[in-house]
Amino acid sequence: MNVAPLCGGTAVQDHVALAEIELCGELIIAASASREERLSSDRIDEVLRVAERDSDFGASESGPQ
């Protein structure tokens, strides 16, 4: 990944912002490939890999808080 240098020659990376941009891109791709007018909640969760994230943090075992 290339990051444009600032005036001082140092590069700044905001990993959270980059991750959010990537996820938005994934949603845009999924929406453009969908035949339906809107993506279902299940499809959005699938695109955003919500189940994977929940299992990484143990949310599926502890349930909602």
Side-chain angles (χ1 to χ4, degrees), residues 3-13:
V3 178
L6 298 175
C7 296
T10 60
V12 176
Q13 293 182 353

Side-chain angles (χ1 to χ4, degrees), residues 1-50:
M1 170 177 62
N2 295 324
V3 178
L6 298 175
C7 296
T10 60
V12 176
Q13 293 182 353
D14 185 339
H15 297 286
V16 173
L18 292 174
E20 288 179 359
I21 291 167
E22 182 179 343
L23 291 174
C24 287
E26 294 294 327
L27 283 173
I28 291 168
I29 292 167
S32 66
S34 176
R35 293 179 185 241
E36 292 83 35
E37 185 174 326
R38 296 177 182 223
L39 294 177
S40 69
S41 295
D42 289 339
R43 179 65 179 132
I44 291 170
D45 288 349
E46 179 183 335
V47 170
L48 298 179
R49 299 179 298 274
V50 171

Side-chain angles (χ1 to χ4, degrees), residues 48-63 65:
L48 298 179
R49 299 179 298 274
V50 171
E52 291 174 22
R53 187 191 70 217
D54 287 348
S55 67
D56 288 346
F57 293 108
S60 59
E61 295 176 9
S62 63
Q65 305 258 333

